[in-house]
Amino acid sequence: MTVQKFPVVIIGAGFGGLQAAQSLAQSGKEVLLIDRNNYHTFVPLLYQVATAQLEPEHIIYPARTIVRCDRRRHFLLAEVEQIDFAARTIKTDRAEIEYDFLIIATGSKSQYLGVPGAEEFAFSMRSIAQAVTLRNQILACFEAASIEVNPLRRQQLLTFVIIGGGATGAEVAGAFVELLRSRMRHEYPTLNLREVKLILVQSGDCLLSELPPKLGIYTQKYLQKLGVDVRLSTKIDRITPDAVYLQDRQVISTKTVIWTAGVDAAVPDLANDWERGTKNKLRVRPTLQSIEYANVYAIGDAAYVDRAGQTLSGVAPEALQQGVAVARNITRQLRGQLPQPFNYFNKGRLAIIGCHAGVGQIQGWKFTGFLAWIMWLGVHLVYLPGYRNRLFVLLTWLQTYLLGDRVVRSILPFSNRVDARSKSVVNQKIRVGTSE
Amino acid sequence: MTVQKFPVVIIGAGFGGLQAAQSLAQSGKEVLLIDRNNYHTFVPLLYQVATAQLEPEHIIYPARTIVRCDRRRHFLLAEVEQIDFAARTIKTDRAEIEYDFLIIATGSKSQYLGVPGAEEFAFSMRSIAQAVTLRNQILACFEAASIEVNPLRRQQLLTFVIIGGGATGAEVAGAFVELLRSRMRHEYPTLNLREVKLILVQSGDCLLSELPPKLGIYTQKYLQKLGVDVRLSTKIDRITPDAVYLQDRQVISTKTVIWTAGVDAAVPDLANDWERGTKNKLRVRPTLQSIEYANVYAIGDAAYVDRAGQTLSGVAPEALQQGVAVARNITRQLRGQLPQPFNYFNKGRLAIIGCHAGVGQIQGWKFTGFLAWIMWLGVHLVYLPGYRNRLFVLLTWLQTYLLGDRVVRSILPFSNRVDARSKSVVNQKIRVGTSE
């Protein structure tokens, strides 16, 4: 086990961590970025991987390439085991790291809200492996249904229940309809894809509750027009491998439950106490510093900024802006200046429904339909890392939206954890795992 | 378990099986294609997946799309458990199938030639999962070496041994050198990629023994110029997780042994006897029929055609031509005509070394270098299924060969078998496995 010391260490290669690394590098500091994966995942497009539209490799990008590793910018592929703020050390499965400044940018993970069976039997979409596993499940259901003669079992295989009516739930529902309408339907001659039931279950009384009600109602009507069975004010009692049990005693027979309902902060094991906010987030000062340790910062989904009148909703722009702010604050501290409070500039919100529609709100201006759809695609194409990825995603979108093709439909042997092959000693140590 | 009967059943969606399905469909026969994967794998490009050049999804294509499934062309995603030629039935894990005519096109699998430890500790490249697993291993070795302070252990991590000096061995060696020379080298500031040792071990006294010696010697000299340590007439004693033991008592300390040395026919369990040829292949008549059952055919790597003076070497054109021949013979039998003997038309052989060189032999004309390299790329681009794949592979090659980029470098959680997740009942049944 080697011990190395770095002026600044960042844990997490998500939006916030990468932005912090890039901003700090510009100011000449020596930085170490740690992640359990050797790539960045562009989370907003995971739903398109899960619905057989994009290749998984087109929405990820090598972390070393993004941070332009050199003598001042380092990357460590490792699993963080414990952080000790008093000793200023990070224990990982590969090496022990000491730091002067630390940025915790470890993001979030699915939160199953205490629903029995949810963690065990529902499919999430928080990582590449989970998205491909969900895609495998959807395609395997079509294959199984195509030879299933029992109508009840066939209907069970062709019923897909989406839990959660936020942006992700609406996105998946719309993209799923696109998949069913794609040319793929001709390739299952023994299957009537009109038998497919898509059910979107929302606990509240409106979809997209983080946006104005008008946009939620538009989304609901649009999805209903596409054939999605939208059930508002509906709560889940439990999930089994064969059904979803609702609290109103209804039972939906299904093999596939897609969980988009909630997230919790994903924080590594800490040797010291840290007061938590909602969703288990690390409570930070307005400067994004830990309340006790002035040399430790938390940003993005891992952080809870307690500011009256401003609740952050866990979207990428927040993490990106916090990444810039934390880099500036550390630079200030190194110069002997005081860190400054973080202010979020809300550029607006966009959500995509699919089938050429979206919704959005920018500076109080609300809009719906094709304009929001094309804006969503444009914005995400610009933010996607890597020219190669941008070109390939653009070409795929043209093929999908203009020609109605969906060819990324291979059932690939992904797993949530690489199995411990005796032959791959290195893999075992490096733990090619996913975020959950 | 449903039982269904089809006039023609084909097992295996490789080159031969797909070609047979397409040829039979043109003649109006109802055909069922069975494979354990829902996609075709373009095996000749697997080495480019393993060396971080191509996305795995760009060299595979949905089987249903290729055979243009409709009321006459069916696909079954299933694992064949047993074939009974007397009863004319195929047992699979999904359904029981009856046939009038059967084509066995199940291809080949790695053959470890009795070398202890080879199957357990060496990496093969016969499937998408294996290619990605090898890529993960190579990249994980770089990551581990970049923080390894012990020089012996670092050298072990940076030593890669390729077993087998045929086309695949030469291809991997050349592509590996390209990877080391790519822009990636700048991204490991603590690693000197010149420390990487590539060792190519060949049991015979010449590389590419299936081609004229002149071309083998050219390949050997070219690889040596690239820095590859080519060891001819060298036999392997055993492989452990930490080293390769040669029969001349030398020991090479390494974590990564790449096995390209041999293949065996991959034949499902048969209820009846079938005389075998070399490599466990099914011995067939010159018409490609089984000797005992006139309604059963075997083609491609699974078949052994016993014809003096003509040995088939297991390349794609042979399987493709046999696919056409078998379709024609079944059509003849249905019309009451006799099947005709298969004649292989050898268009020539090409092999790629990488770094802008290849070798080839067409109609007795031998050539080497850039021309053979560009011809190899062109031929494989034409044969790759799917316009989308062709475009994306072409763009990737331009990026790789003109700009020296290699960005397909994510360590992805692929596994050789999908782990039996309790939540994915369908996946368990469908067995999203690989060919070995």
Side-chain angles (χ1 to χ4, degrees), chain B residues 253-266:
Chain B
S253 173
T254 177
K255 288 281 183 192
T256 313
V257 180
I258 304 169
W259 187 269
T260 73
V263 295
D264 252 4

Side-chain angles (χ1 to χ4, degrees), chain A residues 161-386:
Chain A
V161 180
I162 302 161
I163 314 275
T168 310
E171 279 163 11
V172 177
F176 208 123
V177 173
E178 288 173 0
L179 175 66
L180 297 174
R181 292 180 175 186
S182 73
R183 290 193 188 178
M184 184 197 74
R185 69 189 190 280
H186 305 302
E187 296 172 6
Y188 289 89
T190 60
L191 197 63
N192 183 356
L193 285 179
R194 292 196 188 153
E195 287 182 29
V196 171
K197 269 193 205 166
L198 275 182
I199 302 170
L200 179 60
V201 177
Q202 161 75 321
S203 59
D205 60 357
C206 184
L207 297 183
L208 304 184
S209 56
E210 67 276 22
L211 288 171
K214 187 187 152 191
L215 299 180
I217 291 163
Y218 171 87
T219 302
Q220 180 191 338
K221 288 190 176 159
Y222 196 88
L223 286 174
Q224 284 169 336
K225 210 175 66 189
L226 294 178
V228 179
D229 178 357
V230 181
R231 304 201 185 173
L232 301 177
S233 307
T234 303
K235 291 198 168 63
I236 309 296
D237 186 58
R238 64 199 159 92
I239 297 171
T240 72
D242 299 309
V244 176
Y245 292 79
L246 306 179
Q247 284 188 359
D248 61 8
R249 288 165 190 262
Q250 281 197 66
V251 182
I252 306 170
S253 174
T254 178
K255 289 281 183 194
T256 313
V257 180
I258 304 169
W259 188 268
T260 72
V263 294
D264 252 2
V267 180
D269 186 29
L270 306 180
N272 325 84
D273 288 336
W274 191 320
E275 197 188 334
R276 304 297 171 110
T278 53
K279 297 179 180 176
N280 205 30
K281 291 179 176 188
L282 300 171
R283 201 177 275 271
V284 291
R285 300 183 212 176
T287 55
L288 304 173
Q289 286 167 292
S290 147
I291 292 159
E292 283 198 53
Y293 302 93
N295 65 329
V296 179
Y297 289 79
I299 60 172
D301 281 357
Y304 181 79
V305 192
D306 192 7
R307 301 185 67 190
Q310 188 180 18
T311 52
L312 297 190
S313 51
V315 294
E318 292 161 6
L320 290 169
Q321 292 180 31
Q322 292 185 339
V324 174
V326 84
R328 196 177 48 225
N329 277 349
I330 288 175
T331 310
R332 287 181 65 88
Q333 280 186 295
L334 285 166
R335 287 197 200 123
Q337 299 168 311
L338 281 177
Q340 291 176 324
F342 167 71
N343 277 307
Y344 176 54
F345 174 68
N346 190 343
K347 291 181 190 166
R349 285 293 295 274
L350 283 166
I352 195 165
I353 310 173
C355 298
H356 308 104
V359 296
Q361 182 185 32
I362 293 178
Q363 311 289 356
W365 179 56
K366 300 174 197 68
F367 51 108
T368 57
F370 185 76
L371 178 65
W373 180 77
I374 203 94
M375 276 184 67
W376 192 98
L377 295 178
V379 166
H380 285 80
L381 201 59
V382 168
Y383 277 96
L384 183 68

